[in-house]
Structure formats: C-alpha cells, structure tokens
C-alpha cells in the first residue's frame, strides 16, 4: 500500500486523529502591547459585506483586518532584524510547513511561577528521557497558558513591573536556535519570548536567535495537552503574504491513537 493511502486510511478509520492547535480569531483575541511610542499591532476585526440581504441576497461574506502577528500565527525569519535578509513568510519552503513535533510540558512549573524560564538543562533532561529534539521539527512548549487565550488581560498578565509570562532564558534560546536541529518553536503565549524578555541580553532572545538562524515561531497554540511528548506531525498554514513577516495560521497536528 502506498504511504499516502495508508495515511488516508488512518485518517478515515480514526487511527490518526487531527488535533486543531489553532485559537479562533475574533475581536477579543489577545495581542502584544508595546510601549506607546512604538507602532502597535492591530486586533482582528471583521466587517460584514453582506449576509443574504439587499447587499448580497444569496451570500454572506466579510472583509477582515488583522496584524500579521495576531492570534495563532507564524513568525517568519524576516520578522526580526537578525533575520532581515532571510525568508519572508511567502518564501518559506512548503516542505518546512510539515514536520514532526515534540511537546515539553512545563505547565506545573508555570502554575507556581508565571515568570518561569526554561533553561538548557530542562531540555537536556527531557531529551535524556524522550530522545533528541527532532531534525526539521517543532519544539512545542506547553505552559498551560492556552486557557488565557480569550482575555487580553489574562494573556499578557501585566502589573506595575511589566508582563509576567513564561518563556526561555537567553542562553536557552540561543542553544535551541544554534545548537539543535529543530526548524522552530511553538508556544501558547502571545509571543515566543517571555514577558520579561525586553530586559534580557539580547532583548527578545527567542526572536533574535530563532529568526537570525532562519528558524520559525508559532504562537498562541491550543490543545498541546492532547499531543504526546513525541510522535505527532505538525502542519502549519500561514497565508502566503508577499514580503510578509508572518501570518495568522491554521496549525494542525496529526496524532496516532
Ligand atoms: Mn509573532
């Protein structure tokens, strides 16, 4: 039997489950907030064109406006100055939009400390149990932050001292980007970097090192708890925006049951 026939049989027979890792996009989808002197990303907005009415009697459709980095989305290498001469979102090879995924679960640590930072040793400890991070695959970080996707306030978790959300230390970000064979990292928070990462050296190290290494980011993922630590296959579908720095994406995982 051909591999694709086996795949289709697995999907139809239920041996392969398709898990949607995508948050729904709406006007309440959380977005990153930068200091007021800087440019801001747009919230998602739908504007109705017609809905079976005098504006279009038999059809319903909308226009929409959104930031490239709103909701579950894909970061292309040119999103960051360190990757400015690397791929835009339209140039990412389609082969790299499908790959194996591993899930590292830090939801317990993050429940105790929302500023929890993953270090190289945490990932090496995971590797000693589950094997090496996958070549041309995704490192997905589960933090339990997915339950906050419906609320700007809860997702950003900001107080007088700034946003408090989990992420990677600067050295861990450098190590993942430069010394592991993954093609990118996916998270449940609004961005790949920790809330406090503006104060890291370099600032926003996940963006700086991942994009600078030609790697990708995925954010605001849902349902990582439904994936096994290893063995799933991730399919990421950003829009092919010419020269774009990223795009809202439908992200799916295939999981063998
Ligand atoms: Mn982004």
């Amino acid at each position: 039997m051909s591999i694709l026939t086996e795949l289709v049989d697995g999907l139809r027979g239920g041996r392969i489950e398709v898990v949607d890792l995508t948050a729904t996009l709406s006007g309440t989808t959380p977005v990153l907030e930068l200091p007021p002197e800087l440019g801001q990303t747009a919230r998602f907005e739908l504007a109705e064109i017609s809905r079976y009415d005098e504006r279009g009697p038999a059809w319903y459709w909308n226009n929409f406006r959104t930031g490239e980095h709103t909701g579950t989305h894909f970061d292309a290498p040119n999103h960051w100055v360190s990757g400015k001469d690397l791929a835009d979102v339209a140039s990412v090879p389609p082969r790299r939009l499908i790959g194996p995924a591993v899930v590292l679960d830090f939801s317990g640590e993050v429940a105790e400390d929302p500023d929890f930072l993953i270090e190289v040793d945490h990932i090496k400890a995971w590797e000693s149990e589950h094997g090496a991070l996958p070549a041309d695959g995704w490192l997905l970080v589960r933090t339990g932050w997915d339950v906050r996707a419906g609320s700007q306030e809860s997702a950003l978790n900001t107080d007088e001292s700034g946003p408090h959300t989990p992420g990677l230390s600067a050295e861990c970000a450098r190590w993942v980007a430069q010394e592991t064979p993954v093609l990118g990292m996916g998270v449940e928070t609004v961005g790949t970097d920790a809330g406090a990462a503006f104060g890291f050296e370099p600032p926003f190290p996940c963006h700086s090192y991942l994009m600078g290494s030609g790697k990708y980011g995925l954010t605001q993922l849902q349902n990582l708890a439904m994936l096994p630590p290893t063995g799933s296959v991730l399919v990421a579908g950003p829009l092919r925006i010419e020269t774009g720095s990223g795009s809202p994406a439908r992200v799916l995982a295939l999981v063998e049951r």
Side-chain angles (χ1 to χ4, degrees):
M1 191 161 42
S2 87
I3 289 176
L4 288 179
T5 303
E6 268 185 81
L7 173 65
V8 170
D9 285 353
L11 288 164
R12 295 192 70 212
R15 205 157 58 82
I16 300 172
E17 184 184 357
V18 181
V19 178
D20 204 334
L21 305 185
T22 319
T24 54
L25 267 176
S26 76
T28 62
T29 294
V31 294
L32 206 64
E33 285 173 12
L34 296 179
E37 65 273 21
L38 298 173
Q40 305 294 328
T41 190
R43 290 183 161 282
F44 184 82
E45 287 171 43
L46 269 191
E48 195 172 278
I49 305 170
S50 72
R51 194 161 193 164
Y52 331 117
D53 53 26
E54 68 287 349
R55 298 168 301 170
W59 53 92
Y60 165 55
W61 56 348
N62 301 295
N63 290 317
F64 65 82
R65 178 171 191 266
T66 184
E68 290 174 328
H69 298 261
T70 295
T72 301
H73 72 269
F74 186 96
D75 288 346
N78 73 337
H79 176 40
W80 218 251
V81 64
S82 53
K84 67 181 170 55
D85 299 322
L86 302 178
D88 61 54
V89 72
S91 316
V92 172
R95 167 68 190 86
R96 290 168 70 79
L97 297 176
I98 302 179
V102 297
V103 181
L104 280 63
D105 185 358
F106 296 98
S107 53
E109 290 87 340
V110 172
E112 300 286 309
D113 175 13
D115 291 308
F116 179 75
L117 294 180
I118 299 162
E119 302 287 353
V120 175
D121 283 347
H122 293 120
I123 299 182
K124 286 186 171 168
W126 182 91
E127 285 185 306
S128 68
E129 189 179 345
H130 297 282
L133 296 181
D136 299 327
W138 290 93
L139 163 59
L140 304 180
V141 176
R142 172 154 168 70
T143 55
W145 221 258
D146 54 341
V147 300
R148 298 168 181 254
S151 157
Q152 175 80 2
E153 198 184 352
S154 169
L156 298 191
N157 199 33
T158 301
D159 65 15
E160 356 18 272
S161 62
H164 296 279
T165 66
L168 272 55
S169 73
E171 170 54 16
C172 187
R174 188 204 62 76
W175 182 81
V176 167
Q178 298 180 357
E179 297 188 36
T180 78
V182 299
L183 55 76
M185 184 175 81
V187 300
E188 297 171 334
T189 41
V190 294
T192 53
D193 269 299
F198 61 87
F200 292 2
E201 183 48 47
F204 305 105
C206 283
H207 285 85
S208 183
Y209 289 124
L210 285 170
M211 314 288 86
S213 303
K215 294 186 174 183
Y216 316 124
L218 284 173
T219 72
Q220 295 191 51
L221 297 174
Q222 294 280 306
N223 295 324
L224 293 185
M226 296 173 68
L227 306 189
T230 65
S232 62
V233 173
L234 185 143
V235 182
L239 298 178
R240 201 170 182 196
I241 301 168
E242 191 172 35
T243 75
S245 73
S247 165
R250 192 71 179 253
V251 183
L252 306 174
L254 305 183
V255 181
E256 204 168 340
R257 295 301 183 200

